[in-house]
Amino acid sequence: MEFIYKHADWSNINVLERNRLPMRPFYCGYQTVKEARIGKKEESGKYRLLNGEWKFAGFESPFLALDEYVKEGIDDSSWRTMPVPGHWQLNGFGKPCYNDAFSLFPITDDPAIQMDNPTGIYRKKIEINKEEGQEYLLRFDGVESAYHVWVNGILVGYSQGSRNTAEFDITEQVRSGKNILAVKVYQFSDGSYLENQDMWWFAGIIRDISLISRPQIHVSDYKIDALLGEDLCTGHFHVNVTVENHAGKEKEMKLKLSLFDKEEAVLSEERKVQAVPGETDVSFSMTIDQVNAWSAEYPYLYDVIMELEENGTSVEIYGVKCGFRTICLKDGLFYINGAPLKLKGVNRHDWNEYTGRCVTREDIRRDLYLMKQYHVNAIRTAHYPPHPDFLDLCDELGFYVMEEADLECNQMVYTKKPNRLSDDVMWEKSYIDRVERMVKRDKNHPSIMFWSLGNESGFGTAFVEAGRFVRQYDPTRLIHYEEDRDASIADIYSTMYTRHKDLELLGRDSSKIKPHIVCEYAHAMGNGPGGLKEYWEIFRKYPRLQGGFIWEWIDHGLKKTDENGRSYYTYGGDYNDYPNSGAFCCDGLLQADRTPTPAVLQVKKAFEPVAFCKFTRNRGAICVENRYDFLSLDHLKAMITIENQNEIKMSSTVELDGVKAHERKEIVLFDPQKLFLPECSGDWWLNIRIVYKERPAWAEEEYEVAFHQELLKKGERREKKSAGGPLHMEEKMGTLIISGEEFCLEFDRIQGTISRYEFAGETLIKKGMGMNFWRAPVDNDKNVRKIWEEGMLKAVCNIVDKISVEEGEGNVEIKIKQMYAPIVLEWKILIEAKYIVASNGEIEMMYRGVPVGNQLPETFPRIGLRFLLDKACENVRWYGRGPWETYVDAKEGNRFGVFESTVSDFYFPYVVPQETGNHEDTRWVEFEGNAGCVLRVEAEEEFSFGALHYTQEQLTEAQHTNELLPEEDIMLCVDVGHHGLGSASWGAECLEKDRLFPKPFEFRWKLSGKKKI
């Protein structure tokens, strides 16, 4: 007895498919032109969605999933059900596993998959009214990773390539009445060698299954090239149509092609077609004198209608959207519609917090609406072809798409042979198959500007051959592949996570004859990225740097609820998955439920299409810069205010008409002769808000396109010290108690800190915690965290040398000489501090610090003071940047002003708890208690503050948000310095200018209580 297991279809590199139809664009036929233009396929009568609950049985090995389970007569009544689309690991079979680059199978020369290869069998009964002369296609838009298909117990075919579409002709197998569909899905296949993207390992039928009917003579394929002439106005319209005849005999047909601009037929032509059995190609080539160009800024679409007729009767009508645009290389740059534009892009995966890579059209629309709001103009479909609905919406809403093949074998870096697969002729067919299926499915989408051959797979002949196919089949678009280091087949140079200094050098490199993009940068994991403004200063400085794609758009967290009803996001390792890459999958600008992180305001600011410069105060004028590539500013207006913390002095609207793309123009905002700004304690600001005249569908109410501020007049810091009556001081058990008519301060003379502050009978500060040098590390502190921990910044001790107290006229002065030093290591910070307590309850704090020692850490997380505030101090009002959290290298997206919030709202629930809630460039902050009293911290020099219901120790230790239990009281950090964020979770370190080095420092802050007015 002998059992042969080798080279089953799913582990045979020479078998990519069986009976799979050639790839084509997605479409189905309609009965009328009106229906074809509307394009609701579900109402066509030719399209039937087979999604829903299917019967399902799971097995640990394909060899246990016997073929008898796919036969018609099998009783599946006891089987469980499985949603389609759906990952079976999220629906009760198997477990999720996340890792970055490890494969979950051996790497062998003759690709093989282990025996433990989870396999699922799906079954569904459907009713079909089979019509004579009609063909029936079964379409799969995505199955992870390989599968066989049976209809009524008859094997129909096989396919692999998880995010690629496959169709099978099942006409001979279906019958009128009840039919049994069965699909056997294998989690791993030889195709998995090429699907080792940085994402969860899942399996199942992940996208739509549909049944499409069509007549025996039909349009089987079409390719539309709608290009702009050199004048950028003339349209060159080329269409190649393949008519397929399965009727068994030659027939004379007519094919009519029409192009509609709204309701007007711009052109209409007919061709007689002698449809011989098999395929007949028909071509149309026309020139249109004046067309509207398609761009991300103005996504103008036309309707293409193809009508197939026989003897004057319509057989079937097909509709598709098209847009006229051109992308080309010239003078070392790429031009879209004649503009050498910058890609303000993001990398995007399909994702839903509950269903993984199974997304809905509404998920996609929500993504794209948010991208529009944050000025994203380009998307890289990392790292596979997207859900088909995605490209339809990109065409409609306007995005430049870099579509990427479902191809990554990053696991090969662990073999020390990164080119091993890509430079092996045995794999060429597999590479070409994935690229070809992508291109042929999506070739007619105007939004696609680049074909990306794959990601992080080394380089070799397989990519060369795939690139040659693309170049021959679709020369209208550009080719991208990042690991083609010399751009031998690619049209652009591409790098990942390029540091700012290196990017500057690339911008200066005049030896390259092709443009450069950064296909991944600004790793957006957790709190960050920082340094985005500086990236875009470099991009704008050098023409050959044509932008890039932030990594990435959305977290890949899976939401769960614990036994106490608290929801949280899970990641690698939470399912006993090994090996795993932890929370590295949660690195998006959005959380998995599409809640924007604070970073999106930085993205929006960096990508703003309108900017301002050269403000001239004495003329009330400023230069407006139009950063659009095609649009004028006619659709926008500027809302102008001049205001301080208490009043709006002036409000007006300024038109921006006539400012053309890439043009600067001076506009007058106010008459300086009529503007009088009185002396006051508040700063006077000129605020410019750019808004739409007519709000687009994707914009929310009060949506702001851009903003700009100019400080017109700095406020006078007036001292308003009211007489506070006599001061009383006593000492009890190591505590100095200083009190006046309305306040009481307790000062710990042992620790050298405030230990309690009460005003008008209400406790505001419950405890002073001294100097603070730690922060809960953010994900982007991955590297610097080691420096901080090895420098013992979590274990710094307070050593007080001397405290002297002196009572003066109307005040008490406390001087502290102390040092802060870590355990074990030889470094310290010498501190001289002074507290001046006035009779009205104002406390002036002056600190001077000098870090010394030969083991000083290279940088510090922060330098400041910590206080524990009473829980009543929940409501916060501050003057500085807001409304969201800011850090030294991530703040420009937040404006200056007076803002109100709560301590609870300062906390942002990053997937792994970490530093959050900081506010840079603050001049004063107030915390309101329950009894109408306010604790105020203010300074002449700007400071930062953060207030949370969590300690930094809690945030440091917790691994998931549900592990955090909020404290009733409030932890307030006030800092003179705070280290920047950077993006070093997988990118650039914090820029040197934004690092907090251990240098001498000093600060002078005032703390006081007052009654709310």
Side-chain angles (χ1 to χ4, degrees), residues 325-472:
R325 82 291 177 274
T326 296
I327 182 168
C328 66
L329 289 176
K330 185 174 67 173
D331 301 327
L333 304 176
F334 65 77
Y335 290 75
I336 296 178
N337 299 351
L341 52 74
K342 307 284 187 183
L343 299 176
K344 302 169 185 174
V346 294
N347 285 275
R348 177 193 173 275
H349 277 266
D350 288 341
W351 192 256
N352 178 285
E353 61 180 332
Y354 295 110
T355 59
R357 286 188 288 276
C358 305
V359 295
T360 66
R361 190 177 181 91
E362 287 313 304
D363 289 334
I364 298 168
R365 186 180 292 276
R366 179 62 178 154
D367 280 344
L368 299 183
Y369 273 21
L370 287 169
M371 288 181 193
K372 278 291 183 183
Q373 291 174 27
Y374 303 130
H375 306 311
V376 171
N377 73 357
I379 306 167
R380 179 177 176 230
T381 68
H383 299 292
Y384 45 80
H387 188 289
D389 288 350
F390 171 83
L391 295 168
D392 291 336
L393 290 171
C394 286
D395 295 342
E396 173 191 327
L397 295 171
F399 290 93
Y400 304 121
V401 175
M402 175 182 285
E403 187 173 359
E404 191 152 270
D406 192 0
L407 203 168
E408 178 172 342
C409 49
N410 201 18
Q411 75 275 11
M412 301 312 296
V413 299
Y414 294 104
T415 71
K416 309 299 183 183
K417 298 176 181 179
N419 302 330
R420 180 174 163 187
L421 303 187
S422 299
D423 207 27
D424 187 339
V425 294
M426 181 174 69
W427 283 94
E428 285 181 9
K429 183 180 175 183
S430 297
Y431 279 55
I432 295 170
D433 176 71
R434 289 167 180 266
V435 172
E436 179 179 340
R437 290 165 70 190
M438 170 183 72
V439 172
K440 287 189 173 180
R441 188 192 78 167
D442 297 330
K443 60 197 171 190
N444 296 319
H445 286 282
S447 55
I448 297 173
M449 299 290 160
F450 308 88
W451 299 117
S452 182
L453 304 181
N455 184 64
E456 292 183 319
S457 298
F459 192 65
T461 60
F463 279 115
V464 172
E465 293 305 313
R468 283 176 179 164
F469 161 77
V470 176
R471 186 83 66 205
Q472 181 274 327

Side-chain angles (χ1 to χ4, degrees), residues 149-163:
V149 181
W150 287 261
V151 175
N152 295 325
I154 303 169
L155 179 63
V156 170
Y158 168 82
S159 186
Q160 64 185 47
S162 295
R163 273 70 59 176

Side-chain angles (χ1 to χ4, degrees), residues 331-333 485-487 493-495 498 500-517 538 541-546:
D331 301 327
L333 304 176
R485 306 296 188 201
D486 299 322
Y493 290 98
S494 179
T495 50
T498 313
H500 295 75
K501 287 183 179 179
D502 295 331
L503 188 62
E504 182 105 22
L505 293 174
L506 289 170
R508 295 174 185 170
D509 188 351
S510 59
S511 67
K512 300 292 191 298
I513 60 172
K514 294 180 180 179
H516 191 105
I517 67 163
I538 298 169
K541 184 177 179 181
Y542 298 101
R544 73 174 302 265
L545 300 179
Q546 292 198 255

Side-chain angles (χ1 to χ4, degrees), residues 13 201 267 290 361 412 417 640 728 831 859 878 898 904:
I13 194 172
W201 289 97
L267 59 83
Q290 189 75 34
R361 190 177 181 91
M412 301 312 296
K417 298 176 181 179
I640 312 299
H728 175 73
I831 300 290
T859 60
W878 76 98
V898 176
S904 296

Side-chain angles (χ1 to χ4, degrees), residues 244-260:
E244 195 168 47
N245 180 358
H246 291 160
K249 59 182 179 179
E250 183 175 331
K251 288 198 176 184
E252 187 174 293
M253 310 291 289
K254 184 188 294 183
L255 183 64
K256 180 180 179 182
L257 180 75
S258 302
L259 183 71
F260 285 86

Side-chain angles (χ1 to χ4, degrees), residues 71 76 107 111 120 222 307 345 383 532 541 640 801 1004:
K71 292 179 180 178
D76 59 14
I107 305 299
Y222 59 89
E307 187 170 1
H383 299 292
L532 196 57
K541 184 177 179 181
I640 312 299
D801 182 17
R1004 183 171 182 164

Side-chain angles (χ1 to χ4, degrees), residues 268-284:
S268 183
E269 287 199 8
E270 296 180 353
R271 297 280 191 275
K272 286 184 178 181
V273 181
Q274 207 63 35
V276 298
E279 294 182 348
T280 303
D281 291 330
V282 185
S283 296
F284 297 83

Side-chain angles (χ1 to χ4, degrees), residues 576-839:
N576 295 317
D577 44 321
Y578 175 84
N580 70 76
S581 299
F584 201 57
C585 56
C586 297
D587 51 5
L589 296 168
L590 306 187
Q591 294 202 294
D593 63 354
R594 290 176 169 76
T595 296
T597 68
V600 298
L601 292 188
Q602 284 302 104
V603 174
K604 182 181 180 183
K605 190 65 180 174
F607 291 176
E608 273 181 346
V610 184
F612 295 88
C613 60
K614 298 181 180 178
F615 174 61
T616 309
R617 170 73 171 82
N618 60 7
R619 294 196 299 112
I622 198 168
C623 185
V624 59
E625 178 185 356
N626 181 352
R627 288 178 173 171
Y628 285 111
D629 295 300
F630 306 105
L631 294 180
S632 72
L633 299 185
D634 292 3
H635 63 296
L636 303 175
K637 59 184 177 181
M639 309 295 291
I640 312 299
T641 60
I642 294 177
E643 57 188 286
N644 66 9
Q645 300 164 24
N646 301 308
E647 66 173 309
I648 297 176
K649 187 72 173 176
M650 187 204 85
S651 178
S652 66
T653 301
V654 175
E655 297 295 326
L656 302 174
D657 294 358
V659 186
K660 297 178 181 178
H662 295 173
E663 184 176 270
R664 288 185 178 183
K665 183 178 179 181
E666 186 177 81
I667 58 173
V668 176
L669 304 176
F670 59 86
D671 184 349
Q673 302 301 318
K674 297 179 180 179
L675 181 67
F676 172 71
L677 301 178
E679 300 290 340
C680 64
S681 60
D683 298 334
W684 287 101
W685 286 93
L686 166 68
N687 294 316
I688 305 173
R689 296 180 61 244
I690 305 301
V691 298
Y692 280 99
K693 292 178 180 177
E694 295 183 12
R695 183 168 59 91
W698 48 260
E700 298 174 340
E701 292 287 345
E702 305 298 320
Y703 175 74
E704 180 181 270
V705 177
F707 74 88
H708 182 78
Q709 293 180 291
E710 295 283 350
L711 181 61
L712 297 179
K713 188 173 185 179
K714 207 167 180 60
E716 295 293 326
R717 309 297 174 189
R718 298 175 180 176
E719 298 292 333
K720 294 184 178 180
K721 288 188 177 180
S722 57
L727 278 174
H728 175 73
M729 183 176 74
E730 59 180 319
E731 194 273 343
K732 288 183 180 180
M733 299 294 292
T735 299
L736 297 172
I737 303 172
I738 305 168
S739 58
E741 288 183 358
E742 290 193 300
F743 83 98
C744 179
L745 169 70
E746 294 182 5
F747 191 90
D748 187 332
R749 68 168 177 80
I750 297 172
Q751 298 292 335
T753 61
I754 292 173
S755 56
R756 185 171 172 273
Y757 183 76
E758 177 185 298
F759 189 85
E762 182 173 8
T763 298
L764 299 175
I765 298 177
K766 294 182 75 171
K767 183 181 180 182
M769 303 179 70
M771 293 211 70
N772 184 27
F773 308 103
W774 183 253
R775 76 176 183 201
V778 303
D779 289 317
N780 288 309
D781 289 336
K782 183 181 71 171
N783 298 326
V784 75
R785 176 178 187 163
K786 297 175 184 176
I787 295 173
W788 297 342
E789 289 179 339
E790 290 172 2
M792 292 295 176
L793 280 159
K794 279 200 297 184
V796 176
C797 304
N798 174 24
I799 302 171
V800 178
D801 182 17
K802 181 175 69 173
I803 291 180
S804 59
V805 183
E806 183 177 335
E807 295 186 68
E809 188 174 337
N811 64 46
V812 173
E813 184 176 290
I814 305 170
K815 292 182 180 179
I816 307 107
K817 190 173 182 181
Q818 63 190 141
M819 71 175 175
Y820 283 85
I823 61 173
V824 180
L825 301 181
E826 189 181 343
W827 67 264
K828 58 191 173 185
I829 301 176
L830 305 175
I831 300 290
E832 290 186 0
K834 181 191 295 185
Y835 286 70
I836 300 175
V837 184
S839 59

